[in-house]
């Protein structure tokens, strides 16, 4: 770089403090830049022949300033890719500096937990450390992990928070998805394409991720999480990096590493519990005097679990005393350890349509756009405006703004999601193929290949028929109740519309398809727009 340019950059930064200079010392020693020694000495001797003194002084000042800045020193034997990773990452982190904050739920008394976890992390130690946070579902592990993340992330070069690891690993190629997620977060570039199998993932983590001082939080792991198979050899992580895991199961955490520091999340104190409960039941910190005894009784049976307090509190919001007594009685009948059944009280009080919407979200629509699902429920007469509102008020779902397009997406606590899925599994215990909703890839395919089928499926998701080649119309027999179909198929030749007259939402991945006629369809999503003719009455949304 010629000194005029450098001087101009420095001058510009002097005028605008928002400018950041990130120098790359390419095959030069920063000390030589700073003191104009080495190759610079000769160069300046020549400049002095034909440039005035004042300009020379400005140039020298600029070199001095930039040479003192923290930057990258690229030596001849450095790997170019590594430098690119570093530079893009740092530039990106400057651009997104304040976005590294996770939104968290209200959790009373959280500061003590954060302090305790930070202590286990031994933030001053130069070694790698692993911390495990454990406790039962609904006790607030995720919230605590997020609060810790928000509090300490600035002390690390790179950070990644992965929610719902257990769920991610249940999916096909879950390990690769998880690896891609971590690598992309840490490198701050999307490298999805370059990881095709586990060993590639481990290699990327070893070669590219491990050189940063990072914080990686893996939320909700279970026995399907195997450290070595996902992250590689622990010895690879040498710097002051930290891993935080959360789990319902202490055994899972102890198996992860010999020297893992464990932190147990204790039940909330009665005082804190009462405050949290009142926040939801009265939107106040303390109960009105006529509800004091009832509130205390309910808080006692909710056993210090924030999720239960929140769900039960929301359920009783603005309800009459009679209902309170009723619910208290119900709660008392359920043994303490049956947390799920206590939460299910809230589900049981819902109307039919709200129940169906709740189950749809639990099985399929966590993280999905509220708007789109809304069209389907609306067309089916599920009164989504009212019912989504009810679910939200009852703290059974959350709706958050996400992504650059600021769309609204559904959220659900994993414990509630598990309850929803369990309800669906129990619909017909002895005949699993008689349940209404199918979300696993293997099961979805089995359903279509099974010759014995009943008209009970409402939703099929993750149906991958690519490998089967051409699909005949007969595959869609006995699916007359189907309302949502998410399918990956190469060719759909026949018009299968007759067989699925109630389909409202079709998500076609991949496949080109011709001529289909689905009378009631309201949402069609296609990844490549190759449908030549779609006949449908009230199509509302086409997403390409
Ligand atoms: C982290 O928590 C401590 C107190 O526990 C607080 O003083 C500090 O400001 C917090 N830092 C951030 C970045 O939130
Ligand atoms: C993973 O993918 C790479 C690159 O395609 C390949 O060379 C390697 O053999 C694969 N490893 C395994 C274990 O499949
Ligand atoms: C569809 O249901 C009928 C009985 O209602 C049954 O005889 C037939 O085998 C079923 N077909 C498929 C493909 O499941
Ligand atoms: C569809 O299935 C094929 C074959 O299994 C797979 O390679 C492809 O990634 C799938 N496409 C989508 C969008 O899931």
């Amino acid at each position: 770089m010629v000194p005029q340019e450098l001087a101009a950059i420095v001058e510009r930064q002097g005028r605008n403090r928002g400018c950041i200079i990130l120098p790359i010392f390419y095959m030069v020693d920063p000390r030589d830049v700073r003191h104009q020694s080495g190759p610079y000495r000769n160069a300046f001797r020549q400049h002095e022949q034909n440039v005035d003194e004042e300009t020379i002084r400005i140039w020298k000042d600029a070199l001095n300033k930039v040479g003192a800045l923290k930057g990258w020193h690229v030596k001849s034997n450095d790997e170019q890719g590594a430098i690119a990773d570093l530079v893009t990452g740092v530039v990106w982190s400057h651009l997104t500096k304040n976005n590294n904050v996770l939104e968290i739920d209200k959790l009373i008394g959280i500061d003590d937990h954060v302090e305790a976890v930070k202590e286990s992390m031994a933030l001053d130690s130069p070694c790698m450390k692993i911390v495990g946070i454990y406790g039962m579902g609904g006790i607030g592990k995720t919230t605590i992990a997020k609060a810790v993340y928000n509090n300490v992330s600035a002390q690390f070069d790179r950070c990644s928070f992965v929610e719902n690891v257990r769920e991610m690993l249940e999916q096909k190629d879950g390990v690769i998805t998880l690896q891609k997620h971590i690598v992309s977060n840490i490198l701050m570039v999307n490298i999805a394409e370059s990881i095709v199998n586990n060993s590639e993932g481990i290699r990327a983590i070893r070669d590219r991720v491990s050189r940063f001082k990072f914080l990686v939080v893996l939320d909700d792991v279970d026995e399907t999480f195997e450290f070595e198979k996902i992250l590689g050899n622990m010895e690879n992580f040498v710097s002051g990096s930290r891993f935080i895991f959360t789990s319902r199961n202490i055994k899972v955490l102890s198996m992860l590493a010999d020297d893992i520091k464990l932190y147990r999340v204790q039940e909330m104190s009665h005082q804190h519990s009462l405050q949290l409960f009142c926040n939801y039941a009265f939107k106040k910190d303390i109960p009105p005097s006529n509800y004091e005894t009832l509130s205390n009784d309910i808080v006692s049976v909710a056993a210090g679990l924030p999720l239960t307090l929140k769900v039960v509190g929301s359920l009783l919001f603005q309800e009459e005393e009679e209902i309170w007594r009723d619910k208290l009685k119900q709660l008392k009948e359920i043994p303490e350890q049956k947390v799920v059944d206590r939460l299910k009280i809230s589900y049981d009080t819902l109307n039919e349509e709200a129940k169906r919407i709740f189950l749809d979200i639990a099985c399929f629509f966590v993280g999905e756009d509220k708007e789109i699902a809304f069209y389907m429920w609306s067309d089916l007469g599920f009164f989504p405006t009212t019912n989504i509102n009810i679910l939200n008020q009852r703290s059974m779902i959350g709706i958050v703004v996400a992504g650059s397009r600021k769309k609204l997406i559904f959220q659900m606590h994993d414990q509630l999601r598990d309850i929803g899925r369990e309800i669906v599994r129990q619909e017909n215990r002895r005949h699993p193929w008689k349940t209404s909703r199918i979300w696993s890839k293997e099961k979805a395919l089995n359903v279509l290949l099974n010759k014995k089928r009943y008209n009970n499926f409402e939703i099929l998701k993750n149906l991958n028929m690519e490998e089967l080649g051409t699909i005949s119309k007969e595959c869609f027999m006995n699916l007359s109740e189907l309302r949502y179909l998410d399918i990956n198929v190469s060719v759909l030749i026949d018009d299968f519309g007759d067989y699925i007259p109630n389909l409202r939402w079709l998500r076609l991945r991949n496949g080109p398809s011709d001529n289909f006629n689905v009378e009631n369809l309201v949402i069609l999503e296609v990844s490549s727009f190759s449908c030549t003719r779609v006949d449908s009455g009230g199509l509302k949304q086409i997403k390409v």
Side-chain angles (χ1 to χ4, degrees), residues 196-197 199-200:
V196 293
N197 56 32
S199 32
E200 289 286 300

Side-chain angles (χ1 to χ4, degrees), residues 464 466-467 488 509-510:
N464 194 346
E466 267 282 85
E467 285 147 22
N488 176 1
R509 299 179 189 268
N510 213 22

Side-chain angles (χ1 to χ4, degrees), residues 115 118 150-151:
E115 282 313 306
K118 275 167 73 177
N150 285 348
N151 192 276

Side-chain angles (χ1 to χ4, degrees), residues 73 116 121 146 169 220 269 452:
H73 186 185
M121 290 170 80
K146 283 183 176 172
L169 293 178
D220 194 17
S269 69
K452 243 169 70 192

Side-chain angles (χ1 to χ4, degrees), residues 447-448 450-455 474-475 477-478:
V447 163
L448 274 222
N450 199 335
K451 289 277 170 280
K452 243 169 70 192
R453 212 166 36 223
Y454 306 87
N455 282 315
E474 275 60 45
C475 272
M477 252 170 93
N478 293 6

